[in-house]
Each structure stands twice: as C-alpha cells, then as structure tokens.
Amino acid sequence: MIARLCVLFSCFALLSAQNLGVIDFPTSGSGEARKHFVEGVLYLHNFEFEDAEEQFRKARELDPDFAMAYWGEAMTHNHPLWRQVDVEKARNVLNELAPTPEERLAKAPTEREKDYLRAVEALYGPGDKAERDRAYHEAMRRMYEKYPEDLEAAAFYSLSWLGLGNGTRDFREYMRGGAIAEEVFAKNPKHPGAAHYMIHSYDDPIHAPLGLRPARVYAQIAPAASHAQHMVSHIFVAMGMWEESAAANEKSFEVADERVRRKGLGVDDRNFHALLWLHYGYLQQGRLEKAREVLEVMKADTAESGSRRTRYHLARMKAAHVVETRGQEPVEVSVDHEDLDDISVATDLYAEVVMALGRGELKKAESFHGKMGDSDEDAARVLEREAAALIQLKNGDSEKAVELLRQATSIEEAMPLGYGPPVPVKPSHELLGELLLQLGRHDEARRAFEEALKRAPGRALSVAGLTETRPSRL
C-alpha cells in the first residue's frame, strides 16, 4: 500500500532524524539523556507528538530522576491548536516522577527547571480546559519575563497565545503570539517553533503575506518533520499559491510515509491531512488526473482501515472533488457516517445532493437533503441551505434559491476566517455568485465572487465566475 504513493510521487531518501531544527535548551540531565531530551523538544515544536514522546521516554529511561524529561513527555499530550488534550495521560506521566507537585518540584535542581514544572502543573491542574490553558499561559508569561534569554520559554509562550481560543481565531491573541515568535526567529532563524508558530499566527487570508518569510524556510529548517513540510502550505493556500502548496504537501506525504516504512507502522499512521490538502491543490490547478489518483489512494486506505480518521478525510475529499469539478466527476463511494462529526456528515450529504441533481434524480437529492437536519455547527447549517437552494433551483424557484443562499452567506460571514481547504466545502458566496450569473444579474454576481475571494483567495471557480461577470472587450 505504501508503494502506491511512490507511483504518484518520486520517493526520496529522507535526511537523518536530527534534521528538525536548531535549539539551545540547557538542562541538568545526564549527557545521553539530554540528547534525547533536545530531540524530543524539537519534535514537540514540529508537532510530531508521538516521536517526541518516544524521545522523552528514552531520556527518562537513561536518567530516571531527570525531571525535565517528564515535563517533556507530559507536554506531548497537549495539542493546543488541534483542540486535543489527554489530561489523564499527562498526569500519569508526572506522577511517575513523584506523586505530588511539591515532590516533583524537589526533583528539579534549578529554579528555571522548577518554573517549567510549575507551568506544566498549571496546564494539567484543576479547572476546565479554558481555565487550564489560561493558567498555563500566565505561567509561561512569567517565565518569558523572568528569563529573557530563554528562547524556549519565549517559543512556548508564543504558542500559548494561540492556544487560548480553543480553535477560535482571535486576531489580537494571534498577533501577540506571532510577535513573540518573531523575536525568537530574529535571534535564531533555525528555530523550528519560531517559524512554525509564526505561520500559525498568520495563516488566514488577511495576514498570510506576513507568513511568507517563515513559509519560505520552515521546510528547510526541519526536513525530517512531515508536519513542517505541510505547514508551509497554510500560507500558500491562504494566498492562492497552488503550485507551492501542492509541492509542499507532496513532500509532507512522502516524509510521513518514509516514517511509516521505517517504523513498521500501519495505514492509519499515514498523513491523510497532507493528502487532503494535496488533493485540493491539484483541483485548484486543474490537474484532475493527479487529483483522481490521490482520491483513489484515500479510497483504498479507507477500505483497508475503515477508521473514523480515514472516513473523515474521504468524506471531505469526495465532496471537494464533486464541488470543484461541478459534479461532472461523481465519486462512486459511500462513506459510513458512524461517529463522524456534523460537518463531515453534512459535507458528504451535500456531495450526494449535487451528484443526484446532476443525474436528474430530484427525489433522491431531496432525500439526501432531508438527512442533513438542523445542526448547531455553522458550516453544516451553510451546507444545508446550499443544498436546499440547489433543490429549489431545480424546482424552478430561483428567487427562493437566492433567498436561501443569502441566508447561507450571512451564516458564513459570521464564522471566523479559516485556513486550508474551505469549510464549508462550497463557499456560499461562490455558489450565490454562480446562481446570480445564471440569472443574468452580473453586478450582484461580481460582488458575490469578490466576497468569496476575500475568504478564499485564488479559488479557481471564484476566479472563473468573476471573469464571466466582466463585459467582453471585443
């Protein structure tokens, strides 16, 4: 199955696992344990959490009293930008160092290391996630101010700004985080966390130009990290740079699969996230044959695994393929909706509505729309109204269709700016523009496409629609 990838891309020899960036993080562990600790921190900055955990475990096996190794392993169980945290696992790691916070602090020989432990205690202490994130942020702020030369404290403080919103982008917080990462990057231009967190701070369509500088170098800073290879595409997608985005995700998927082969891992350890972005990049370039090949890889891996993770990615890729090809390339695959989130289910059902209407099967389209229901998720609500609008249009009620799409755009406009392949899979302003264009309302259509391109720069269908609204010069 891994061999299928090498048919799509030319596989390359991965550089050594030490190619993860450069940091200076002095600690009190023994010599060999410190090497594993530093490698663990490098993996941590690159969001390669499983490999980071492995290195921290090696460090504490070599030096069981090395308090910072336990700090590092506990940190791997918090994924702030993915809204994932396993408090129980993290607390179990800390308890292996010592049963109480006071006894754990006594294991750290320096005040600086005690402060790192105090911060991780706050991260996994009392309160709900938002309260723990805020307490950890405040602890890192104190460290940042207390140890101005400690670039690691600054880097983790930067990331803590981005973690405050629990997945909701607050520009004030993101710019603060980006500013701290800029400081680290200026002092150490090979620091993986600095480049990484700058990109996360700037990867929306408004601020993306600020992220071009780290995006140009992050992949070279950490060539052994699949996430680093992918991460630069956050900026490229936000700026409609499709060639660069596709190349980044090709490399990210290759690096991840080299790791799968090297470690003898299974299908669910492949980087489907990069594959989804790669598929989207190919569609935006009009490279439909390459997009179909990538989609076939996802279909085959889903058939082999059947995991929630594979089905989630297949649902999104299936819908993107249907949307970007205007339903001319139906994807004959059924996605099991069990335990998928509302947005993924709505995304898959929307694709089915589009395909059914393309086949002239109005009743079937209506049955799929009926399954969409009323979700609390804004993106799912947008898709439900889009599907309803397409059905109304097929029934001949264009004004009702326009009304439904204006409702959809109002919902989407209230959503935070996103990044990457659009959610909802069909931007509502784009669909509104396409409908208005069909109705000959060119001025309104032009404004709709312009709004679509503000949220998703460079989208091929929005660019094509905008072009059609302009009067011919012939």
Side-chain angles (χ1 to χ4, degrees):
M1 169 231 318
I2 301 300
R4 287 200 303 270
L5 179 66
C6 293
V7 173
L8 298 180
F9 319 122
S10 57
C11 292
F12 63 93
L14 184 68
L15 299 175
S16 72
Q18 279 66 46
N19 285 286
L20 301 165
V22 177
I23 61 172
D24 180 21
F25 199 162
T27 55
S28 57
S30 63
E32 192 64 26
R34 280 201 308 271
K35 291 179 183 178
H36 288 291
F37 172 81
V38 169
E39 190 163 339
V41 175
L42 288 168
Y43 275 122
L44 195 59
H45 281 311
N46 288 301
F47 285 8
E48 301 285 351
F49 295 109
E50 291 181 0
D51 290 339
E53 182 181 9
E54 180 181 328
Q55 293 303 316
F56 290 127
R57 280 187 173 275
K58 288 180 179 179
R60 65 187 184 99
E61 286 169 6
L62 289 167
D63 188 348
D65 290 325
F66 185 11
M68 286 300 288
Y70 296 82
W71 164 87
E73 188 177 339
M75 288 286 287
T76 67
H77 296 299
N78 182 53
H79 310 159
L81 300 185
W82 302 348
R83 289 174 284 178
Q84 298 172 348
V85 62
D86 194 324
V87 176
E88 183 179 358
K89 281 187 177 179
R91 288 174 177 167
N92 288 341
V93 171
L94 294 173
N95 286 336
E96 289 180 36
L97 174 63
T100 68
E102 294 74 20
E103 290 174 281
R104 291 192 282 270
L105 283 180
K107 295 273 190 177
T110 70
E111 186 61 23
R112 174 174 159 274
E113 291 182 30
K114 291 181 192 297
D115 283 336
Y116 273 105
L117 285 179
R118 291 185 181 104
V120 82
E121 297 283 0
L123 182 60
Y124 299 115
D128 61 22
K129 186 177 187 305
E131 292 169 326
R132 294 194 306 270
D133 288 342
R134 176 61 66 178
Y136 172 72
H137 171 74
E138 289 301 317
M140 292 314 303
R141 177 188 59 78
R142 291 190 291 271
M143 286 199 69
Y144 168 74
E145 294 172 351
K146 185 175 180 179
Y147 306 103
E149 301 305 315
D150 186 348
L151 296 189
E152 297 314 296
F156 286 114
Y157 177 48
S158 166
L159 180 59
S160 77
W161 275 107
L162 309 185
L164 287 178
N166 197 25
T168 300
R169 184 182 296 269
D170 183 315
F171 286 145
R172 292 166 297 183
E173 293 172 349
Y174 270 56
M175 292 306 101
R176 291 291 297 273
I180 303 300
E182 293 270 7
E183 293 177 8
V184 178
F185 193 66
K187 295 176 182 177
N188 178 5
K190 292 187 178 181
H191 195 293
H196 188 181
Y197 309 147
M198 287 165 68
I199 291 171
H200 270 299
S201 297
Y202 305 143
D203 63 356
D204 65 88
I206 295 173
H207 300 95
L210 297 173
L212 269 178
R213 184 164 48 103
R216 295 294 190 197
V217 299
Y218 182 33
Q220 286 71 49
I221 289 173
S226 173
H227 188 74
Q229 305 308 303
H230 158 75
M231 196 62 223
V232 300
S233 71
H234 279 227
I235 299 300
F236 299 146
V237 169
M239 297 188 69
M241 300 169 64
W242 307 120
E243 182 177 352
E244 293 86 347
S245 176
N249 285 295
E250 286 174 352
K251 190 171 293 185
S252 175
F253 202 62
E254 291 174 359
V255 172
D257 264 12
E258 194 284 334
R259 174 181 177 270
V260 169
R261 289 189 294 272
R262 173 166 42 88
K263 293 197 164 194
L265 303 175
V267 61
D268 278 302
D269 292 291
R270 304 185 85 187
N271 192 342
F272 300 127
H273 183 70
L275 196 66
L276 183 151
W277 286 53
L278 176 59
H279 176 252
Y280 181 71
Y282 283 158
L283 289 170
Q284 297 309 305
Q285 290 178 294
R287 298 168 70 183
L288 298 186
E289 184 175 346
K290 297 293 286 184
R292 283 192 295 270
E293 290 174 347
V294 170
L295 182 57
E296 287 302 316
V297 170
M298 193 68 248
K299 287 169 62 178
D301 285 355
T302 303
E304 179 176 337
S305 166
S307 67
R308 179 184 182 277
R309 182 166 174 263
T310 56
R311 289 181 285 113
Y312 162 85
H313 286 90
L314 180 60
R316 288 196 60 186
M317 290 170 68
K318 166 188 170 180
H321 208 90
V322 171
V323 164
E324 304 305 329
T325 61
R326 300 180 187 266
Q328 299 305 303
E329 289 203 15
V331 181
E332 301 301 332
V333 60
S334 177
V335 178
D336 182 357
H337 293 169
E338 184 180 359
D339 69 8
L340 290 183
D341 60 272
D342 285 357
I343 297 174
S344 298
V345 172
T347 297
D348 186 56
L349 290 171
Y350 179 79
E352 293 290 352
V353 169
V354 172
M355 289 191 290
L357 291 174
R359 295 189 300 265
E361 298 174 348
L362 179 58
K363 291 297 183 184
K364 184 169 283 189
E366 289 174 338
S367 70
F368 284 124
H369 174 250
K371 296 176 183 178
M372 296 179 81
D374 189 17
S375 172
D376 292 332
E377 295 287 348
D378 286 341
R381 295 170 61 217
V382 169
L383 289 170
E384 185 276 329
R385 283 157 179 77
E386 289 181 350
L390 293 176
I391 290 170
Q392 290 294 334
L393 184 63
K394 197 72 171 179
N395 281 323
D397 193 341
S398 59
E399 286 308 311
K400 181 61 175 177
V402 170
E403 179 187 338
L404 285 163
L405 288 180
R406 292 204 186 280
Q407 292 176 17
T409 60
S410 295
I411 296 170
E412 188 169 355
E413 285 169 1
M415 294 168 58
L417 283 175
Y419 57 88
V423 178
V425 66
K426 181 63 174 178
S428 57
H429 289 93
E430 181 177 271
L431 185 57
L432 175 61
E434 290 169 349
L435 174 54
L436 293 169
L437 198 57
Q438 288 182 43
L439 299 175
R441 294 157 64 171
H442 284 212
D443 288 344
E444 293 175 82
R446 183 179 64 255
R447 289 192 291 272
F449 287 125
E450 288 171 347
E451 286 301 315
L453 287 166
K454 288 178 183 178
R455 297 184 74 90
R459 267 186 60 82
L461 292 180
S462 291
V463 171
L466 185 61
T467 302
E468 288 187 52
T469 66
R470 293 169 179 162
S472 172
R473 295 179 180 273
L474 297 179

